[in-house]
Amino acid sequence: MDTDGSGLTPDEVARWRALPWKLLPAVPRAPVMNMALDEVLVERVGSNERAPTLRVWGWSAPCVVLGRFQSVRNEVDEEAAACHGIAIVRRISGGGAMFIEPEGAITWSLYAPESMAEGRTFAESYRLFDAWVVDALRELGIDAWYAPLNDITSTAGKIGGAAQARRAGAVLHHTTMAYAMNMPLMLEVLRIGKEKLSDKGVTSADKRVAPLRQQTHLPRAAIIQHMIQHFRQRFGINESYLTPDEFADAESRAREKFGTRAWTHYLP
Amino acid sequence: MSTRGEYKMPGGKLIAVEFDVTNGELRDVVVTGDFFLYPEEALPLLGGALEGSPTTLDEAGYAARVRTALHTKGELVGSSPEALAAAVVRALRARAGLERDDGH
């Protein structure tokens, strides 16, 4: 099966290549806009209003991004977050909380037609969408691999994680990799429970994160550039832009949904 | 006072449950965690499956209720009905322990 260096079969590579990928380059945006854009863009790819897209995220402010099913008080020390000016937002996909500082993380979303993952279990489709990332990281000299269910890891430690959501006709797959970690601040803001570490070994050190700056000594922008270059050479991709209509749609959802307590605190 | 239990599947995700006990039944059941559930709107089915269950069921009993409620309407990924049932049993045990400590 491992014919392409990553477990992507020739048939899978052909599926990636068959799609007319568009790139949305990183623009710093408010955390709540990043949440709203994911929903708008996955819907529009599902309804064929937009071509399959790779969106690189930019952040204008630090935040905690909660998974769809997480309880705020179990994951975040809200007082500490407020004290450091860290917003709390909730994304549309499941999975775990992320602590984000604008220059500390590398995040992107893939919006693909559901046919891309046809005939696969939910679990298998995580590997399908992360395999190219593993290859791109290996080109940087990192011995990365995909660790089920949704992690990208390496000998030095975990690099990142992914989450997926489905909307009519489309898959959203977003991945965040740690570039540089502010561990003291993260531990102050996030509550990391013992049960979460229970199958990771006896000490929390087993759950160590190995940020990319430490592993590559490359600037963040160079890593992002490398990821895009890898994608372009392998599958093809053309630059695109957010249409005024997409932007307006996201702004209105940021205001009416993602920025409201009814959404962020629906599981208090 | 509500009681809480968690269970993380080995190699999987954490699922947590919180509920009150009234007249020997689970009430106001809320399920949270870093699991995946498709579609996302199926979340209320998890709590709903356990709502009103007697505290005397065993793990398999709670798991069966969750499995039946999800059936064709939702799929847990990185967790399972059995994992949620294990969290319920842990919560009940923790609660029983607290009551003993209170001299009940």
Side-chain angles (χ1 to χ4, degrees):
Chain A
M1 290 287 280
D2 195 356
T3 53
D4 197 51
S6 67
L8 279 183
T9 64
D11 169 62
E12 286 170 343
V13 174
R15 283 195 201 195
W16 281 92
R17 291 188 61 89
L19 296 174
W21 289 100
K22 300 288 182 214
L23 172 68
L24 288 173
V27 175
R29 297 190 193 282
V32 75
M33 271 299 276
N34 275 323
M35 303 302 114
L37 278 168
D38 260 0
E39 188 176 72
V40 168
L41 297 176
V42 71
E43 284 180 11
R44 290 183 180 220
V45 169
S47 61
N48 286 318
E49 292 166 88
R50 158 170 278 282
T53 298
L54 164 63
R55 175 171 76 100
V56 182
W57 294 32
W59 302 94
S60 64
C63 62
V64 171
V65 182
L66 292 174
R68 175 72 185 256
F69 308 119
Q70 292 187 298
S71 134
V72 178
R73 67 170 174 269
N74 281 308
E75 302 300 324
V76 193
D77 183 332
E78 284 194 82
E79 214 169 288
C83 171
H84 291 286
I86 295 166
I88 296 167
V89 293
R90 189 186 292 277
R91 62 178 186 264
I92 61 172
S93 62
M98 303 186 303
F99 172 71
I100 300 282
E101 290 185 289
E103 295 302 313
I106 296 174
T107 304
W108 64 87
S109 294
L110 287 157
Y111 314 93
E114 214 160 21
S115 57
M116 177 100 180
E118 210 179 317
R120 278 155 222 281
T121 65
F122 287 116
E124 286 163 355
S125 74
Y126 277 95
R127 183 196 59 83
L128 176 67
F129 281 97
D130 274 342
W132 70 277
V133 180
V134 167
D135 283 346
L137 291 174
R138 286 179 184 170
E139 287 172 351
L140 295 176
I142 300 168
D143 61 335
W145 67 90
Y146 160 73
L149 176 66
N150 59 332
D151 284 351
I152 295 171
T153 193
S154 68
T155 307
K158 176 175 163 170
I159 294 170
Q164 284 185 11
R166 311 270 169 131
R167 288 294 183 271
V171 184
L172 157 67
H173 179 100
H174 43 201
T175 305
T176 290
M177 303 193 301
Y179 174 68
M181 299 268 295
N182 185 340
M183 277 300 253
L185 185 55
M186 186 184 89
L187 292 174
E188 202 182 319
V189 171
L190 289 189
R191 300 187 204 274
I192 299 177
K194 281 192 191 123
E195 179 66 9
K196 213 173 280 181
L197 303 171
S198 62
D199 73 332
K200 306 280 181 186
V202 286
T203 67
S204 61
D206 284 76
K207 178 76 178 177
R208 67 197 187 282
V209 175
L212 289 172
R213 185 169 65 188
Q214 166 198 316
Q215 295 214 56
T216 63
H217 305 289
L218 289 171
R220 180 174 171 274
I223 295 175
I224 294 173
Q225 208 43 54
H226 171 75
M227 304 301 295
I228 293 170
Q229 197 51 34
H230 178 100
F231 192 105
R232 179 179 287 125
Q233 279 173 1
R234 204 169 182 192
F235 310 132
I237 194 164
N238 291 309
E239 289 239 355
S240 131
Y241 59 90
L242 211 55
T243 67
D245 188 51
E246 287 168 337
F247 185 80
D249 192 356
E251 272 204 316
S252 107
R253 292 192 209 198
R255 200 169 49 241
E256 281 152 33
K257 176 177 176 177
F258 293 97
T260 66
R261 268 185 89 82
W263 173 259
T264 57
H265 285 66
Y266 96 101
L267 293 166
Chain B
M1 198 194 88
S2 75
T3 180
R4 177 184 162 84
E6 308 184 328
Y7 184 81
K8 183 185 184 304
M9 261 177 35
K13 304 277 124 189
L14 183 131
I15 197 160
V17 65
E18 233 175 285
F19 53 84
D20 293 316
V21 173
T22 311
N23 299 326
E25 293 177 346
L26 278 53
R27 291 291 172 199
D28 300 324
V29 185
V30 178
V31 177
T32 63
D34 66 355
F35 55 86
F36 296 93
L37 175 68
Y38 302 101
E40 289 86 8
E41 291 72 25
L43 183 70
L45 294 179
L46 297 177
L50 297 165
E51 191 72 30
S53 299
T55 56
T56 49
L57 293 186
D58 62 4
E59 218 167 285
Y62 295 118
R65 289 194 173 210
V66 175
R67 187 170 294 286
T68 303
L70 285 181
H71 188 50
T72 56
K73 298 196 194 97
E75 185 180 345
L76 276 166
V77 176
S79 192
S80 66
E82 289 72 24
L84 177 51
V88 171
V89 169
R90 284 183 175 185
L92 287 168
R93 282 196 191 128
R95 186 172 184 277
L98 282 178
E99 285 184 350
R100 267 197 308 278
D101 294 345
D102 286 350
H104 289 291

